Amino acid sequence: MYSSSLFRLAVAATAALAVHSHAARTADDDLDDTPLPLVIWHGLGDAFNTDGIKQVGALADAIHPGTFVYTIALGADANSDRQATFFGNVSAQIESVCEALAAHPILSTAPAVDAIGFSQGGQFLRGYVERCNFPPIRSLVTFGSQHNGISKFRDCGSTDWLCKGAMALLRFNTWSSTVQSRLVPAQYYRDPADYDSYLEHSNFLADINNERELKNTQYKENIAKLTNFVMYLFEDDTTAIPKESAWFSEVNGTEITPLRARKIYQEDWIGLRELDRKGGLKFRSITGEHMQITEQVLNETMIDFFGPFKRTFDSDAAYVDSTFESEL
Ligand SMILES: *[C@@H]1O[C@H](CO)[C@@H](O)[C@H](O)[C@H]1NC(C)=O
Ligand SMILES: *[C@@H]1O[C@H](CO)[C@@H](O)[C@H](O)[C@H]1NC(C)=O
Ligand SMILES: *[C@@H]1O[C@H](CO)[C@@H](O)[C@H](O)[C@H]1NC(C)=O
């Protein structure tokens, strides 16, 4: 245990040095060393100003000093921001985030931004990339996000009345237009056993996953333009069901189809295949329950994928080539 954490720290230190010397080599001016801003979108039931979110921002600045951190908020205070994680039209929420980022004096003048999406915040940031992407995201990192939807609504804590109220409405009539336009988790509900209802009524996920006949080519172009799309899966996740959704796998009953064996990838509906070919699609897993993220994992993520605009990245392309057949 102890020696493995020492090893990881040593790896991290080497990577940091490599980044630094690269930046020094290519530096034309001071701007080359400035880390890209970091945009954070939190998850269901969370708020922009909780200690956990603040700690992530503080770590980003500790790893890459000078990082400007912007946490997405859909309300003026913590209560309304938290409420908006349960209630609202996700497309309208993304639209307002697009407007806020495009109008932000620091974000909109940066060459690009990096982003972390926690849980549902991850698929919403992906929606941001597909639908507007200005400022463009360079590295998109998602933790336990429901990229292929959820097939079960979560249990709420016994005293979480906001959550309980939302879930009761959801279960009552998932596919009604009222629920689809107002209850957030319903908009990424996707049960393969009831796929036709989903295709017909899903107000968000079926669209950004380009699952309908008419494909939006902009979505595909924008995802393919990412430098890194890093998807973390929590191995012991019992909150977001199925957990494999974090890797875009399809879970239909007991059958699990990995992304690379699915049509969405093989026909490249949203640019994931193109991104994978250039080595930008990364599958990572960590032990633990939904959103149990260690500081070490956050540090490694920030070292590997964030920092100055001009840094370089290790490519996973070789990994893709050698494992492509066996993954199928
Ligand atoms: C949700 O918001 C989008 C974007 O503002 C809007 O186009 C759409 O009509 C809304 N959907 C519903 C069902 O209200
Ligand atoms: C899921 O499996 C069922 C039963 O085999 C099948 O009817 C359905 O089409 C599958 N759904 C998808 C999206 O493939
Ligand atoms: C994460 O990085 C920060 C800043 O460099 C450091 O203070 C902290 O000890 C690191 N945590 C771990 C677990 O490596």
Side-chain angles (χ1 to χ4, degrees):
M1 200 56 199
Y2 185 64
S3 66
S4 108
S5 74
L6 270 183
F7 171 71
R8 280 167 179 248
L9 271 179
V11 169
T14 312
L17 282 174
V19 169
H20 183 80
S21 63
H22 174 77
R25 266 201 317 280
T26 58
D28 293 318
D29 53 52
D30 290 348
L31 272 181
D32 282 356
D33 285 330
T34 308
L36 289 187
L38 173 63
V39 173
I40 301 173
W41 199 328
H42 62 75
L44 185 72
D46 209 349
F48 67 91
N49 59 355
T50 54
D51 287 345
I53 295 293
K54 283 186 196 153
Q55 278 164 19
V56 174
L59 269 187
D61 189 55
I63 301 275
H64 298 292
T67 301
F68 176 77
V69 178
Y70 178 92
T71 304
I72 289 170
L74 287 164
D77 55 47
N79 274 342
S80 51
D81 186 40
R82 177 165 192 266
Q83 182 145 350
T85 69
F86 291 102
F87 299 101
N89 171 342
V90 174
S91 293
Q93 292 185 341
I94 289 176
E95 224 169 70
S96 78
V97 169
C98 290
E99 281 166 19
L101 267 57
H104 192 283
I106 294 174
L107 301 179
S108 67
T109 52
V113 299
D114 291 323
I116 298 185
F118 293 111
S119 199
Q120 71 180 16
Q123 62 263 30
F124 299 167
L125 277 170
R126 181 163 63 82
Y128 165 88
V129 171
E130 293 179 21
R131 290 189 176 161
C132 52
N133 207 29
F134 180 82
I137 293 182
R138 173 182 66 176
S139 295
L140 172 62
V141 179
T142 66
F143 283 96
S145 297
Q146 298 87 44
H147 291 299
N148 202 51
I150 49 167
S151 55
K152 188 174 180 291
F153 293 118
R154 69 149 74 178
D155 295 324
C156 306
S158 59
T159 57
D160 190 344
W161 303 110
L162 188 60
C163 179
K164 284 186 153 181
M167 297 306 151
L169 274 170
L170 282 176
R171 290 193 181 93
F172 176 66
N173 197 351
T174 306
W175 298 124
S176 76
S177 62
T178 314
V179 166
Q180 280 296 313
S181 61
R182 294 196 190 140
L183 289 223
V184 169
Q187 294 163 65
Y188 54 85
Y189 181 80
R190 183 185 185 281
D191 180 1
D194 188 17
Y195 191 59
D196 290 343
S197 302
Y198 163 80
L199 275 189
E200 192 175 342
H201 301 291
S202 170
N203 189 38
F204 174 67
L205 195 70
D207 178 69
I208 61 154
N209 285 3
N210 253 342
E211 289 179 88
R212 299 195 173 106
E213 208 153 321
L214 193 63
K215 311 290 185 215
N216 186 322
T217 54
Q218 182 73 54
Y219 291 179
K220 176 176 173 174
E221 281 165 27
N222 286 3
I223 292 288
K225 268 191 241 156
L226 287 167
T227 301
N228 301 293
F229 179 15
V230 188
M231 301 182 290
Y232 276 99
L233 177 151
F234 295 94
E235 287 165 16
D236 311 308
D237 197 331
T238 59
T239 303
I241 297 171
K243 66 180 179 194
E244 292 83 358
S245 187
W247 278 359
F248 261 110
S249 302
E250 170 131 306
V251 181
N252 191 359
T254 53
E255 192 186 3
I256 303 178
T257 313
L259 173 63
R260 289 176 180 137
R262 299 184 55 205
K263 255 186 173 173
I264 187 175
Y265 180 92
Q266 293 178 347
E267 296 181 358
D268 210 12
W269 295 347
I270 57 170
L272 292 171
R273 182 180 166 129
E274 196 177 326
L275 183 61
D276 202 10
R277 290 272 154 101
K278 65 173 193 183
L281 189 63
K282 328 260 170 162
F283 301 81
R284 292 193 169 190
S285 70
I286 38 184
T287 54
E289 174 58 280
H290 196 63
M291 289 303 115
Q292 277 179 7
I293 310 168
T294 62
E295 189 176 284
Q296 190 174 336
V297 165
L298 285 170
N299 279 7
E300 286 168 2
T301 302
M302 290 167 182
I303 290 163
D304 288 354
F305 302 110
F306 301 162
F309 184 51
K310 298 221 162 152
R311 64 164 291 180
T312 56
F313 296 95
D314 291 339
S315 162
D316 276 7
Y319 163 81
V320 170
D321 287 339
S322 60
T323 58
F324 188 72
E325 298 300 330
S326 61
E327 293 265 335
L328 296 181

